[in-house]
Amino acid sequence: MKKLKERWGIEHNWQIIIILVVFAVTGSTASYIGKPILSFLNITTEVFGSFGYWTIRILLLFIMYQFMLVFFGWLFGQYKFFWNFEKKMLRRIGLKRFLD
């Protein structure tokens, strides 16, 4: 636990639990609300085919997940950790120019 706390820059063990809960809640929520959003936008396998549908769904879930991760992090009191996590992830995928 000590190495994990140092790596993540947190001070208490309970923060680790909250961070893991935020990741779980965010992933579950993104997956849960993804299908109704796709239905609302009329994105189905009949219209786009299986490959197109799943490509769009994965892209949509990825984008929703990024916003919800910061939101749920803020809601659970760990905004600083998740904002830094988000900036690090966006830099890795080449979107550094939007952060600075």
Side-chain angles (χ1 to χ4, degrees):
M1 288 289 220
K2 185 178 179 183
K3 286 184 180 184
L4 188 59
K5 289 188 327 189
E6 288 175 12
R7 182 176 178 198
W8 283 359
I10 57 177
E11 298 173 8
H12 305 286
N13 289 338
W14 59 267
Q15 287 177 294
I16 294 172
I17 294 168
I18 290 175
I19 289 168
L20 295 176
V21 167
V22 168
F23 278 120
V25 168
T26 303
S28 299
T29 304
S31 179
Y32 182 75
I33 67 173
K35 192 167 187 172
I37 291 172
L38 290 173
S39 294
F40 176 76
L41 297 172
N42 197 28
I43 298 172
T44 63
T45 54
E46 291 82 23
V47 176
F48 289 92
S50 291
F51 181 77
Y53 172 81
W54 282 103
T55 302
I56 294 169
R57 183 172 179 157
I58 290 169
L59 287 172
L60 178 69
L61 290 177
F62 178 76
I63 293 167
M64 287 177 13
Y65 184 85
Q66 304 312 310
F67 287 107
M68 289 192 310
L69 190 61
V70 175
F71 172 73
F72 283 122
W74 169 78
L75 199 63
F76 282 80
Q78 296 299 314
Y79 175 79
K80 182 180 176 183
F81 172 82
F82 285 102
W83 180 239
N84 289 333
F85 181 86
E86 194 62 37
K87 289 190 295 187
K88 186 176 177 182
M89 182 185 303
L90 291 174
R91 281 188 185 104
R92 286 183 179 173
I93 63 172
L95 299 175
K96 181 181 177 183
R97 63 181 168 201
F98 295 113
L99 299 173
D100 299 327

